[in-house]
Amino acid sequence: MKVVVGEVVELPLGPPFKPLVQITAYRRGAGNVELELAFIGAGGERVTNLMVAGGWPPAPTLEILDPDEVVVATASR
């Protein structure tokens, strides 16, 4: 994106937001994986603070599905 003096430029920030789950740590043999949930805005910006109706949203939950979409494991914070 190029910003020129004296011109108005619309920044492509905000919704729609895309959830992104990344592995932050893996302990081979222990069977543990640490995941990080982030939201990425339309302009590629990383959302670092999220409130819903003036309060914090509930803690995220995770479901792991098999190829037939049957839940094989769940996790929550």
Side-chain angles (χ1 to χ4, degrees):
M1 172 180 306
K2 184 176 182 179
V3 178
V4 179
V5 173
E7 292 185 15
V8 174
V9 176
E10 287 191 33
L11 299 176
L13 305 175
F17 296 106
K18 179 176 113 178
L20 174 67
V21 177
Q22 295 179 305
I23 296 173
T24 57
Y26 172 67
R27 293 179 185 84
R28 184 179 294 274
N32 294 339
V33 175
E34 291 181 19
L35 303 173
E36 175 185 86
L37 173 64
F39 292 96
I40 308 301
E45 76 278 11
R46 187 178 203 89
V47 177
T48 59
N49 190 1
L50 180 66
M51 298 188 84
V52 176
W56 297 107
T61 59
L62 173 73
E63 292 182 340
I64 299 174
L65 309 177
D66 69 9
D68 296 321
E69 297 191 10
V70 175
V71 176
V72 295
T74 60
S76 61
R77 189 167 201 204

